Amino acid sequence: MSENERIEAAEQALFQSWKHFQALRSVGFLLGETEGGGPSEWTGQPLEDLAALLDVLAQHGVDHANAGLEELQGIRRDRLKTA
C-alpha cells in the first residue's frame, strides 16, 4: 500500500470514528430531551436495547480510530526506514 493510500485509509478510519462519536452524542442528546421519566427510571427491554446500541456504536468508533492510528503508525515506520 502506498503512502497516499495509507493516508487516505487513516483519514477514512478517523472520519468513521468521528461519525460514531457524533451518533453517540445524538443518543445522549435524545436521552436528555426525553419527557417524563429519564433513563434512570427505565427498566427491561428498552434499556437493554439502548445499552446494546451504545455498546455497538462505541466499539465501532474505537475500531475505526484504532485502524486510523495503525495506518498513521505504519506511515511513520516506513518513513523512518527510508530516512
Side-chain angles (χ1 to χ4, degrees):
M1 186 181 280
S2 73
E3 184 172 318
N4 284 341
E5 290 172 327
R6 281 188 156 164
I7 290 170
E8 278 186 40
E11 288 173 347
Q12 184 62 29
L14 294 173
F15 175 73
Q16 291 298 325
S17 174
W18 175 80
K19 284 177 52 177
H20 282 82
F21 174 71
Q22 291 296 351
L24 287 171
R25 287 187 62 191
S26 296
V27 170
F29 174 77
L30 290 173
L31 287 174
E33 295 295 310
T34 56
E35 294 182 18
S40 62
E41 297 176 15
W42 299 351
T43 59
Q45 191 64 40
L47 188 58
E48 293 166 7
D49 290 346
L50 180 60
L53 171 64
L54 292 174
D55 184 51
V56 167
L57 285 172
Q59 187 57 52
H60 281 231
V62 167
D63 292 344
H64 286 296
N66 285 340
L69 180 60
E70 287 175 15
E71 290 297 336
L72 292 174
Q73 288 173 334
I75 292 168
R76 183 170 181 249
R77 280 192 300 269
D78 289 348
R79 284 184 178 169
L80 289 175
K81 288 178 187 176
T82 59

